[in-house]
Amino acid sequence: MQAAKVSDTPVEFVVEYLLKAKEIAENNANVPAELRDNLQKALDIACGLDDYLEQMSSQESEPLAELYRKSISHDWNKVHDNGKTLFRLPVTCITGQVEGQVLKMLVHMSKARRVLEIGMFTGYGALSMAEALPENGQLIACELEPYLKDFAQPIFDKSPHGKKITVRTGPAMDTLKELAAMGEQFDMVFIDADKHNYINYYKFLLDHNLLRIDGVICVDNTLFKGRVYLKDSADDFGKALQDFNQFVTNDPRVEQVIVPLRDGLTIIRRVPYTPQANTQLKSTVTYDEVFRGVQGKQVLDRLRLDGKVAYVTGAGQGIGRAFAHALGEAGAKVAIIDMDKGKAENVAHELTLKGISSLAVFADISKPEDVQKMIDDIVSKWGTIHIACNNAGINKNSASEDTSLEEWDQTFNINLRGTFMCCQAAGRVMLKQGYGKIINTASMASLIVPHPQKQLSYNTSKAGVVKLTQTLGTEWIDRGVRVNCISPGIVDTPLIHSESLEPLVQRWLSDIPAGRLAQVTDLQAAVVYLASDASDYMTGHNLVIEGGQSLW
């Protein structure tokens, strides 16, 4: 049976008191009509808020909907055979649909991969957060009562996200101590448990580094029916939460905001240490760039490309497409350059769907007029170029004695001459502004002679790309432009899986210590690193990514 509806949140109490005031006004002929009208207007606003918030929230998944229906219809009196009540959960403890969507949104926004929940109750909040975690994400839920694990687990098992949830039953503090002993750390923590222990959970989380720097703690019920700020309130829970809120406010390790959602949701962020925030440790801390980060940025933040303008040639497919996605995901605006305008537009559309600013540009990089127009179009659109990713190339196979001048010239015109023209045209823009990152795609073939295929013109052209990179990298670094290259090994493409090439693939695999071909995604982190400020001291370098093949 469903528990009777009682006032739980400050807004619900306002509604309750307004209804009483309205009843008094209606029974008193001396109350002015204007006062009655204003009471009704206040009621309309207060009564409609929660329903409106629920209507405007994103639609919940079917497992969540099922769990919510099960929660509000369940008889929360667990009764032993002898009639003794073992467990009673008030309906006000059930996480609402709006709160669940807020938690889900916070997981998305914080990009959390590991979440800790203290106080699972019905499991609605846990499943909401799990839906926002990546496939390899994990949520550990601490729940005192095994009965609640049994209640939620069948719904977790139905959801594709339920596998991310591990429920640990028993006292939450015991679980926290076990997690701390194992050196565990979390991106986000949600606390909705026994109110008197909120402050103890909070202290333990921060004192034992269970929350990473920039991690988020969300705490439910921190307005507690308005009793945390009502001067005449003597409620024990209200007093405990009042003390908790004040403690967090005074804690220099964090910053917080209380959101008046339902019964109050506090969002707390752990901030990086500064000497001003904790003078007691100042004498023991070497507060340099190693500690605080270069320009205050932690190492992963230094890989961000926010506000940068990039282009990638040969970006309509394969490695170039993967590079374009990677640079865009890191924050850059990306121009997609390709000889096939349709393919360029398709990739640009892909980036747009991911919220990345993009531009499709047709260019044949073997033609100097196309290269200059490509640069002019990008500068006209976005004002500058910070990152030039010269990736376009071709490969033709023939025995050396049969290699024609036409094949040689065609290969060099794109692989080396075209790369040079792109470096030069982009370099002029970068040298003028005193900053730039040029990343050329070379090949493992610049280091070894791949076999058994015969590809003289390709191998020689890619060796030229490496020497071009080394020369420009040393010549331009003192003017703020770094030039590096990436040498991939054999990359897995649909063409490689054709029946005619199967024997060749098996031969290649026998030459690769890693035991597999490269995926284009294996190269993405490298291009982001070379494009970022984190690689400022690297220039003229050939970054080889080939699964160890060049070492055998």
Side-chain angles (χ1 to χ4, degrees):
M1 66 182 180
Q2 185 174 339
K5 175 65 175 174
V6 294
S7 296
D8 180 41
T9 70
V11 170
E12 288 173 349
F13 275 103
V14 168
V15 171
E16 181 181 331
Y17 295 137
L18 284 172
L19 286 170
K20 291 177 180 178
K22 180 183 177 184
E23 184 179 355
I24 293 170
E26 288 175 345
N27 292 329
N28 190 334
N30 295 325
V31 173
E34 185 179 3
L35 179 55
R36 289 196 189 96
D37 290 343
N38 285 330
L39 278 173
Q40 186 58 53
K41 290 176 182 177
L43 262 173
D44 292 341
I45 292 172
C47 288
L49 178 60
D50 285 346
D51 287 342
Y52 183 76
L53 291 175
E54 190 170 310
Q55 292 169 14
M56 293 298 106
S57 294
S58 299
Q59 186 175 359
E60 61 191 352
S61 65
E62 181 49 40
L64 275 175
E66 182 179 353
L67 187 52
Y68 187 74
R69 292 191 298 268
K70 183 178 179 181
S71 300
I72 62 175
S73 63
H74 188 69
D75 182 357
W76 285 109
N77 292 322
K78 184 184 178 186
V79 182
H80 203 278
D81 290 341
N82 62 11
K84 180 182 177 182
T85 299
L86 296 180
F87 180 73
R88 178 178 286 112
L89 179 72
V91 74
T92 54
C93 288
I94 298 172
T95 300
Q97 293 158 305
V98 176
E99 294 100 314
Q101 290 296 323
V102 169
L103 292 173
K104 185 175 181 178
M105 185 69 72
L106 286 170
V107 173
H108 277 304
M109 293 176 67
S110 63
K111 300 188 186 303
R113 307 184 75 86
R114 304 192 76 236
V115 174
L116 176 65
E117 182 180 41
I118 303 175
M120 182 186 73
F121 297 114
T122 67
Y124 189 90
L127 189 54
S128 296
M129 291 185 284
E131 289 186 349
L133 288 171
E135 281 301 308
N136 62 346
Q138 182 185 26
L139 185 147
I140 295 177
C142 306
E143 178 49 56
L144 178 66
E145 176 56 62
Y147 174 60
L148 286 170
K149 178 181 178 180
D150 296 338
F151 175 85
Q153 194 63 53
I155 308 296
F156 291 168
D157 293 340
K158 289 182 180 180
S159 168
H161 303 281
K163 64 181 183 293
K164 305 172 190 173
I165 303 172
T166 301
V167 183
R168 304 276 292 268
T169 56
M173 191 57 76
D174 290 350
T175 299
L176 294 185
K177 290 176 181 177
E178 291 173 10
L179 294 171
M182 293 187 292
E184 300 284 5
Q185 202 168 46
F186 296 89
D187 306 305
M188 178 172 157
V189 180
F190 177 50
I191 304 175
D192 183 14
D194 46 323
K195 313 307 177 199
H196 287 108
N197 267 324
Y198 270 20
I199 197 165
N200 296 324
Y201 298 141
Y202 170 83
K203 287 179 179 177
F204 193 91
L205 288 167
L206 267 69
D207 291 347
H208 292 80
N209 272 331
L210 281 166
L211 183 73
R212 68 166 175 81
I213 294 294
D214 281 331
V216 174
I217 301 176
C218 300
V219 188
D220 204 10
N221 305 126
T222 48
L223 292 179
F224 200 70
K225 313 177 194 300
R227 293 173 193 172
V228 295
Y229 55 82
L230 292 176
K231 290 183 171 47
D232 58 349
S233 176
D235 186 278
D236 283 347
F237 284 160
K239 180 66 169 65
L241 288 166
Q242 188 180 62
D243 292 344
F244 170 78
N245 291 340
Q246 192 60 55
F247 183 86
V248 175
T249 298
N250 295 335
D251 190 345
R253 298 172 295 179
V254 302
E255 55 190 21
Q256 72 155 337
V257 61
I258 299 178
V259 180
L261 173 69
R262 297 290 293 164
D263 204 21
L265 182 70
T266 294
I267 302 174
I268 303 165
R269 184 179 78 93
R270 185 179 177 188
V271 298
Y273 163 88
T274 60
Q276 296 76 21
N278 194 336
T279 54
Q280 292 179 339
L281 295 178
K282 187 174 182 180
S283 60
T284 65
V285 172
T286 304
Y287 193 63
D288 56 5
E289 286 191 332
V290 173
F291 187 96
R292 68 176 179 270
V294 177
Q295 297 179 338
K297 296 178 182 178
Q298 295 182 41
V299 65
L300 292 181
D301 294 328
R302 290 167 60 198
L303 293 167
R304 293 292 306 173
L305 303 175
D306 301 294
K308 299 291 174 60
V309 173
Y311 76 72
V312 182
T313 64
Q317 60 187 353
I319 295 173
R321 173 174 172 265
F323 282 174
H325 275 268
L327 296 170
E329 288 172 10
K333 304 170 186 175
V334 187
I336 310 301
I337 317 298
D338 205 275
M339 287 183 64
D340 187 324
K341 190 173 182 181
K343 288 182 178 179
E345 289 173 344
N346 287 342
V347 175
H349 179 61
E350 290 175 356
L351 299 191
T352 300
L353 293 176
K354 295 167 74 170
I356 299 166
S357 295
S358 60
L359 171 68
V361 178
F362 166 82
D364 178 350
I365 66 161
S366 68
K367 298 178 179 178
E369 62 273 17
D370 277 20
V371 170
Q372 190 56 55
K373 184 177 185 304
M374 168 189 89
I375 298 298
D376 292 343
D377 286 349
I378 298 168
V379 173
S380 175
K381 174 74 173 180
W382 288 323
T384 188
I385 297 172
H386 302 104
I387 301 160
C389 190
N390 302 313
N391 168 76
I394 62 171
N395 185 7
K396 291 181 176 292
N397 295 343
S398 64
S400 297
E401 65 272 22
D402 297 326
T403 300
S404 65
L405 283 177
E406 181 183 7
E407 177 186 318
W408 179 275
D409 289 343
Q410 188 178 9
T411 302
F412 268 72
N413 280 344
I414 295 175
N415 291 7
L416 186 54
R417 184 171 180 266
T419 298
F420 159 68
M421 290 191 294
C422 289
C423 286
Q424 188 180 62
R428 287 170 178 153
V429 174
M430 295 173 178
L431 290 167
K432 186 176 181 180
Q433 67 194 13
Y435 177 87
K437 296 294 184 89
I438 297 176
I439 306 140
N440 299 321
T441 299
S443 169
M444 173 187 66
S446 66
L447 302 172
I448 65 172
V449 178
H451 61 283
Q453 71 273 27
K454 297 176 174 62
Q455 47 187 38
L456 172 65
S457 57
Y458 179 81
N459 296 349
T460 312
S461 68
K462 289 301 185 179
V465 170
V466 173
K467 186 54 67 176
L468 170 70
T469 298
Q470 293 170 342
T471 304
L472 294 178
T474 54
E475 186 176 332
W476 287 351
I477 188 171
D478 62 344
R479 288 186 279 172
V481 179
R482 285 84 173 170
V483 187
N484 295 285
C485 60
I486 297 173
S487 280
I490 301 171
V491 179
D492 195 348
T493 65
L495 179 63
I496 279 178
H497 292 285
S498 63
E499 187 175 341
S500 62
L501 289 180
E502 181 61 28
L504 198 57
V505 171
Q506 293 308 312
R507 174 64 183 272
W508 289 334
L509 290 174
S510 70
D511 288 339
I512 302 173
R516 67 174 178 86
L517 303 180
Q519 301 295 320
V520 292
T521 50
D522 290 322
L523 311 174
Q524 288 181 301
V527 78
V528 171
Y529 168 67
L530 292 175
S532 73
D533 295 341
S535 63
D536 276 357
Y537 199 61
M538 181 180 284
T539 196
H541 184 69
N542 181 21
L543 185 54
V544 182
I545 306 172
E546 34 64 290
Q549 185 173 358
S550 66
L551 304 177
W552 271 3

